[in-house]
Amino acid sequence: MIQSMTGFGKAVAELPDKKVTVEIKSLNSKQLDLNVRVSPVYREKEMQIRNEVMQRLERGKIDITVNVENIGRDTSTQINLPVLEGYVEQIREASIRLHIAEPADWFSLLLRMPDAVKNDATLPDDAEWDAVHGAFIEAVRLLTDFRMQEGAMLQKIFEEKIAGITLLLEQIDVYEEERIGIIKIRIAESLNKFADTDYDRNRFEQEMIYYMEKLDVNEEKKRLDNHLKYFVDTLHTGRGQGKKLGFIAQEIGREINTLGSKSNHAGMQKIVVQMKDELEQIREQVLNVL
């Protein structure tokens, strides 16, 4: 079954002093476009996350966010008191020298100064990382499930559209004999205007055969039918078929265009337009297939 490239997964790791939330979003893209935003405490694990995503998700524009929320009394972020004391001394000295008043809101000013707050985050131990990594794996699983659900919807759409084109292709047969007959009558009427004109009948018959062969659409119909069947077969052949389905859709479009250029009949041209409408909807959706 095919998968969509669109998906979302979210999982939470509950730790004694913190809650770690992992979110993964995926949209369609021609290749893997990976953006990872992790808390500084897990920065050294970023390459592991990237490698696992490349193996598991293959393709798409993927955004991964790992957020940490401290829920205990202790926090790794601390006010840097020695630095604040240094700022206070300097500001008071500057106030005296420059003859200006000291700031009214000391605390607000000091907290905005460089290095006023320090982060003493420690690296996660094995138990903590196992919990966070488990949340990451769960988020990937949920995203994959989402992709499969979206893929099932896309597959249903594709099957309906391909069935529609197949039905339209069968309707072309109704116009085949009529179309050739009309063309023959038109040529015969044109020849009657030159009944008294001498011409090479053998050469004329050769040209007629050549002309009728150029108008024959049996080969295009066969190729189009084969492409339609191949598209459906590919839908049921493993995953990661998005690019292949796109190529097949291009070939389907090529045969439909040739049918339109050869039709020379209003009824057939109307069918070709309907085929193109069905195919355009396939082309729009196939961009979302993994």
Side-chain angles (χ1 to χ4, degrees), residues 180-221:
I180 299 299
I182 291 173
I183 293 171
K184 287 180 178 180
I185 292 172
R186 189 183 303 159
I187 293 172
E189 290 175 349
S190 299
L191 279 177
N192 287 336
K193 296 178 182 179
F194 303 95
D196 299 332
T197 305
D198 187 26
Y199 60 88
D200 187 337
R201 292 186 176 274
N202 289 331
R203 177 62 184 273
F204 174 73
E205 289 177 359
Q206 291 174 2
E207 292 294 334
M208 279 291 294
I209 292 171
Y210 174 73
Y211 180 66
M212 298 306 291
E213 285 179 348
K214 287 198 68 175
L215 291 176
D216 182 68
V217 295
N218 284 318
E219 196 63 35
E220 286 74 16
K221 286 162 55 182

Side-chain angles (χ1 to χ4, degrees), residues 20-23 35-50 63-68 129 132 136:
V20 181
T21 303
V22 181
E23 289 187 358
N35 180 32
V36 181
R37 295 189 298 277
V38 299
S39 173
V41 69
Y42 304 118
R43 186 71 67 192
E44 69 171 17
K45 301 294 185 179
E46 182 175 335
M47 286 308 300
Q48 179 181 345
I49 292 174
R50 286 181 174 273
D63 291 315
I64 301 175
T65 305
V66 181
N67 287 323
V68 178
W129 174 243
V132 175
F136 166 71

Side-chain angles (χ1 to χ4, degrees), residues 6-21:
T6 302
F8 176 77
K10 178 180 178 180
V12 177
E14 298 281 359
L15 299 168
D17 59 345
K18 67 183 70 171
K19 182 170 71 172
V20 181
T21 303

Side-chain angles (χ1 to χ4, degrees), residues 46-148:
E46 182 175 335
M47 286 308 300
Q48 179 181 345
I49 292 174
R50 286 181 174 273
N51 290 334
E52 292 193 27
V53 167
M54 286 189 288
Q55 293 173 6
R56 296 170 183 267
L57 300 182
E58 299 177 29
R59 192 158 69 100
K61 185 180 185 302
I62 299 170
D63 291 315
I64 301 175
T65 305
V66 181
N67 287 323
V68 178
E69 178 186 353
N70 291 302
I71 55 179
R73 293 178 60 86
D74 295 332
T75 174
S76 60
T77 303
Q78 303 288 333
I79 295 176
N80 199 339
L81 289 177
V83 170
L84 296 188
E85 290 171 351
Y87 283 136
V88 169
E89 292 178 4
Q90 294 180 58
I91 292 171
R92 282 177 173 166
E93 182 179 349
S95 175
I96 294 172
R97 288 190 180 185
L98 300 175
H99 305 289
I100 57 177
E102 294 183 2
D105 188 356
W106 275 97
F107 203 63
S108 177
L109 171 65
L110 291 172
L111 288 181
R112 293 199 299 269
M113 301 298 285
D115 301 321
V117 177
K118 61 181 179 179
N119 193 320
D120 293 331
T122 57
L123 295 177
D125 56 25
D126 291 342
E128 178 179 339
W129 174 243
D130 286 344
V132 175
H133 184 256
F136 166 71
I137 296 299
E138 176 64 9
V140 171
R141 185 190 68 78
L142 292 172
L143 182 140
T144 302
D145 289 346
F146 194 113
R147 281 181 159 190
M148 291 182 68

